[in-house]
Amino acid sequence: MAKYLAKRLGAALLVLFALSLLSFGMVRLMPGDPALQYLNIDNPDPTQLDQIRAELGLDAPWYSQYLSWLGGVLHGDFGQSLTKSADIGTMLADRFPVSLQLAVVAVLVGLLIGLPSGVVSAVRQGTPLDAVIRGGSFVALSVPAFAIAAVVIMINAFTLKLPLIGYTPWSVSPISSILSLLAPALILSLAMSAVVSRYSRGTVLDTLSQDYIRTARSKGVPTGRIVRGHALRNALIPVTTVVGIQLAALIGGTVVIENVFAIPGMGSMLIEAINSSDYPTIQACVLVLGACFVLINLVVDLLYPVIDPRVRAS
Amino acid sequence: MTATIATTDALAVEDLTISYGAGIPVVTGVDLRVGPGEILGVIGESGCGKSSIGFAVLGLLPASAVVDADRLDVGSHGMLEADEADWNQVRGRVASMVFQEPMSALNPCMRVGAQIAEVLLVHGLADKQAAHARALELLRMVQVPEPELRAKQFPHQMSGGMRQRIVIAMAMAANPRLLVADEPTTALDVTVQAQILDLLDRMRRETGAGVLLISHDLGVIAQTCDRVVVMYAGEIVEEGEPAEVLARPSHPYTAALVASIPTTTTPARQDLPMIPGGVRDADRATAGCRFAARCAFATERCASPQALVEIAPTHTARCWRSAELDLTTTTEATA
């Protein structure tokens, strides 16, 4: 058990280190001169450019640049934005909770729809209900979120006229903050619930064909109790992994929805930074989003021994 | 624990036919009777329908299977017209099952004590505390060491033999009248096999449960059973006491089965005796002897239907030539 923990933690740290190298290197390989971008004037004076480079530390060799950046990051200092004259750490502190909140609400709603529908679909395999659920999840998976978003906003504009667009910060009012994200979260959760529904349908069906389900039947356990008592737990173990990946993907992968609903999250921050070659901001965003993946996967890995006794033992 | 030995049969089946959809039946015209405390062995090669019978008497066949019989009594319950709810009343309480694969027959996410206790809880035979106490008692009964510790463990923490003991404890939890054991030792080491067979033998003596022991292993049958039924291609070809049937087989298939067991006197590097060919679907559809196509003694007469005829008071066989053939000579290697 302690060995399992140590192994997972070690692997996570290693991935984080590789990730920092990657996000640093990726930005260096991008075309465009950050110094030029920083000055933002036509035909700048070469000596002025050199001066800027020295100021930004761009004249140092790449490894010393990397080390000083990494040192800063480890102290919580992500550096200054090149285009916004703002501290990147402060920007992240503003943006990240918004994205996290959006992703968590979307995942919760997705689970609330996806899990029961997947389980029902498996237990009622081959019935019209199963066909409806599978058809619904197929549509939800195929239609892109921004298309649904556009339709929802349009219909709302003609009918209910609810204030769907914009974001109320948590500090103003937690309730209205959650409500302000409800529409985009619902739309994001559609695809997520479809994924969870299809996946859990598969794992439940697989579990129901296992020998120990037949054993339970031979004991006289009724079907409902077999599903609840024997099949669900075994079937949901692999679903945790999918949910973890979805959560991580939703934190940074909601760029379009953030745009449509004017939500100041990580997605829009990253896109703005890329468009303006704001390399320290890009680096920081990539690192933070990657760290989210690593962290969530670590949590899922640590959850596994709690829900699966076989992992606990080995 | 005292068990009242009932006098009615644990299982009574008459003219059982099992088919899948419109296909050729996999089992036809099978009559079985398992008395209280009796072990009836069912033997035959793969695909002869022996496992289908085991699942049929517990209502565990898939929905696509069609079961037809004149009589299907499990304990004192007539199950011919039973629906799923009726079966759930009988399964686990009146009849239960021990499976071939102890490694996969237990829920990996449930403590074994809880899996045993579940039988009693589902049938409302005990409250939680009493069910737990009974689970410990059962673990002791099937000779699991340290029952208190084992009850809290998960299946993956146990060996195959230990798990099969758990499955047997589970099957015996509600004192069933009938225990169906489908190849209970096939997946186990030889030394563990003997222990599990001993355990089954002891269980039926102590509780008076009848046992339907399905196996393809003649050794297992000879060692454990009071009576044996030899199946071929979905029908019974011979029936009797194991000592009698194995020593003086009256059906060429039984004789060939016995002859194909290698013994310590079988010379090394000599090809093992085997029955040429295999069971074809067409054999199950023929009106005459289903074994005729593979039989060394087949004649024209074998194409016409033959009933089970009495060889001796407790010995029947389905062969036109059983009176004239002396099949004991082919089996002397195992005598």
Side-chain angles (χ1 to χ4, degrees):
Chain A
M1 192 60 212
K3 209 173 150 196
Y4 176 83
L5 287 176
K7 233 165 115 180
R8 294 291 139 189
L9 269 169
L13 283 175
L14 209 71
V15 171
L16 274 178
F17 173 69
L19 188 70
S20 71
L21 265 180
L22 203 70
S23 59
F24 179 86
M26 214 164 53
V27 173
R28 308 290 123 162
L29 292 174
M30 283 199 329
D33 186 344
L36 252 173
Q37 196 74 35
Y38 184 69
L39 268 177
N40 202 17
I41 45 172
D42 292 333
N43 302 319
D45 179 10
T47 51
Q48 201 183 353
L49 272 179
D50 283 342
Q51 197 188 332
I52 296 283
R53 286 201 181 96
E55 209 175 290
L56 295 174
L58 291 173
D59 52 350
W62 69 268
Y63 50 84
S64 75
Q65 282 188 48
Y66 170 72
L67 285 178
S68 70
W69 173 67
L70 193 64
V73 168
L74 289 177
H75 290 95
D77 174 17
F78 288 88
Q80 294 290 315
S81 163
L82 289 189
T83 51
K84 290 206 158 150
S85 66
D87 183 54
I88 296 174
T90 321
M91 280 164 70
L92 282 173
D94 280 345
R95 301 289 193 113
F96 184 74
V98 180
S99 281
L100 187 66
Q101 193 186 335
L102 182 61
V104 167
V105 175
V107 163
L108 287 181
V109 176
L111 277 176
L112 227 57
I113 303 172
L115 272 185
S117 70
V119 173
V120 166
S121 183
V123 174
R124 299 264 176 272
Q125 189 196 9
T127 62
L129 184 60
D130 178 29
V132 167
I133 290 172
R134 291 174 73 190
S137 69
F138 184 71
V139 172
L141 210 53
S142 320
V143 182
F146 65 82
I148 302 175
V151 172
V152 167
I153 287 174
M154 204 173 77
I155 292 176
N156 177 63
F158 286 118
T159 54
L160 297 171
K161 298 190 168 65
L162 295 171
L164 293 185
I165 296 173
Y167 172 70
T168 313
W170 189 264
S171 51
V172 175
S173 153
I175 293 173
S176 51
S177 173
I178 289 200
L179 285 178
S180 71
L181 287 182
L182 207 54
L186 277 173
I187 290 165
L188 282 174
S189 73
L190 273 180
M192 154 96 189
S193 61
V195 171
V196 171
S197 175
R198 294 174 82 85
Y199 194 71
S200 54
R201 179 181 184 271
T203 58
V204 169
L205 276 182
D206 182 57
T207 309
L208 284 176
S209 70
Q210 295 292 315
D211 282 354
Y212 55 82
I213 297 296
R214 190 182 58 190
T215 308
R217 286 187 67 204
S218 82
K219 297 198 283 191
V221 184
T223 309
R225 191 165 169 164
I226 285 184
V227 172
R228 272 176 283 121
H230 290 272
L232 267 189
R233 181 161 184 181
N234 286 291
L236 293 188
I237 291 169
V239 176
T240 26
T241 307
V242 173
V243 172
I245 292 171
Q246 291 282 323
L247 177 64
L250 279 179
I251 291 175
T254 57
V255 182
V256 179
I257 285 291
E258 282 182 12
N259 257 313
V260 173
F261 285 96
I263 297 163
M266 288 288 289
S268 43
M269 177 175 170
L270 179 58
I271 290 296
E272 282 161 26
I274 291 172
N275 284 339
S276 57
S277 293
D278 183 359
Y279 76 92
T281 308
I282 302 175
Q283 260 168 237
C285 284
V286 170
L287 188 68
V288 167
L289 291 177
C292 280
F293 266 95
V294 174
L295 208 74
I296 289 169
N297 274 310
L298 183 69
V299 169
V300 170
D301 278 345
L302 297 185
L303 268 178
Y304 254 100
V306 178
I307 52 182
D308 190 342
R310 282 165 296 184
V311 179
R312 209 180 305 160
S314 53
Chain B
M1 212 211 61
T2 55
T4 45
I5 309 281
T7 46
T8 52
D9 287 338
L11 176 71
V13 174
E14 279 169 25
D15 200 16
L16 173 69
T17 297
I18 303 170
S19 49
Y20 289 90
I24 302 165
V26 292
V27 169
T28 44
V30 164
D31 297 338
L32 292 175
R33 205 192 63 78
V34 181
E38 181 186 36
I39 301 188
L40 173 68
V42 178
I43 194 161
E45 61 196 284
S46 310
C48 72
K50 55 189 193 302
S51 286
S52 293
I53 294 175
F55 286 118
V57 301
L58 277 171
L60 285 174
L61 286 172
S64 56
V66 182
V67 176
D68 189 41
D70 288 345
R71 185 176 175 198
L72 177 51
D73 289 356
V74 179
S76 51
H77 300 253
M79 301 307 288
L80 271 187
E81 307 288 322
D83 60 18
E84 194 63 14
D86 298 331
W87 275 116
N88 278 337
Q89 288 299 309
V90 165
R91 285 195 288 248
R93 192 166 60 87
V94 183
S96 56
M97 192 151 181
V98 175
F99 298 93
Q100 178 172 351
E101 273 298 336
M103 303 313 269
S104 57
L106 292 167
N107 186 338
C109 282
M110 203 190 246
R111 294 175 201 280
V112 298
Q115 296 194 49
I116 298 171
E118 187 183 24
V119 181
L120 302 160
L121 295 173
V122 160
H123 292 288
L125 298 172
D127 60 18
K128 249 187 167 155
Q129 207 179 352
H132 181 69
R134 170 81 173 135
L136 292 180
E137 183 191 333
L138 284 158
L139 286 174
R140 237 168 267 130
M141 217 159 97
V142 297
Q143 289 161 331
V144 167
E146 299 178 273
E148 281 85 4
L149 170 76
R150 290 298 186 179
K152 288 190 209 111
Q153 288 188 327
F154 291 95
H156 68 265
Q157 292 165 293
M158 300 177 183
S159 67
M162 187 76 82
R163 290 189 213 186
Q164 197 62 302
R165 284 173 195 274
I166 303 289
V167 173
I168 293 173
M170 210 157 74
M172 299 309 296
N175 265 323
R177 301 288 318 284
L178 173 71
L179 182 67
V180 177
D182 184 13
E183 307 261 8
T185 59
T186 306
L188 301 174
D189 290 344
V190 182
T191 48
V192 183
Q193 276 186 21
Q195 294 170 8
I196 294 295
L197 290 176
D198 281 351
L199 179 61
L200 283 177
D201 190 49
R202 202 162 58 75
M203 287 291 113
R204 59 101 179 222
R205 281 181 210 285
E206 285 176 12
T207 69
V211 179
L212 185 68
L213 176 63
I214 297 161
S215 180
H216 66 261
D217 188 335
L218 274 176
V220 167
I221 297 286
Q223 190 185 337
T224 336
C225 298
D226 301 312
R227 275 187 308 126
V228 60
V229 161
V230 183
M231 301 257 326
Y232 184 80
E235 66 179 7
I236 296 175
V237 294
E238 190 160 358
E239 182 173 354
E241 286 164 15
E244 163 85 6
V245 168
L246 300 183
R248 279 176 293 283
S250 295
H251 192 285
Y253 174 65
T254 316
L257 257 191
V258 174
S260 63
I261 305 173
T263 66
T264 47
T265 55
T266 308
R269 293 198 198 125
Q270 179 190 300
D271 288 344
L272 291 171
M274 57 173 196
I275 310 173
V279 185
R280 300 165 304 174
D281 279 350
D283 293 334
R284 288 205 302 269
T286 176
C289 177
R290 298 179 180 186
F291 186 59
R294 299 167 78 186
C295 183
F297 309 100
T299 64
E300 281 169 25
R301 207 166 29 150
C302 298
S304 39
Q306 163 70 305
L308 281 166
V309 293
E310 192 174 291
I311 310 293
T314 57
H315 188 179
T316 55
R318 194 190 295 274
C319 179
W320 284 112
R321 307 192 62 197
S322 54
E324 57 186 84
L325 291 174
D326 181 14
L327 296 167
T328 43
T329 50
T330 58
T331 64
E332 64 187 7
T334 54

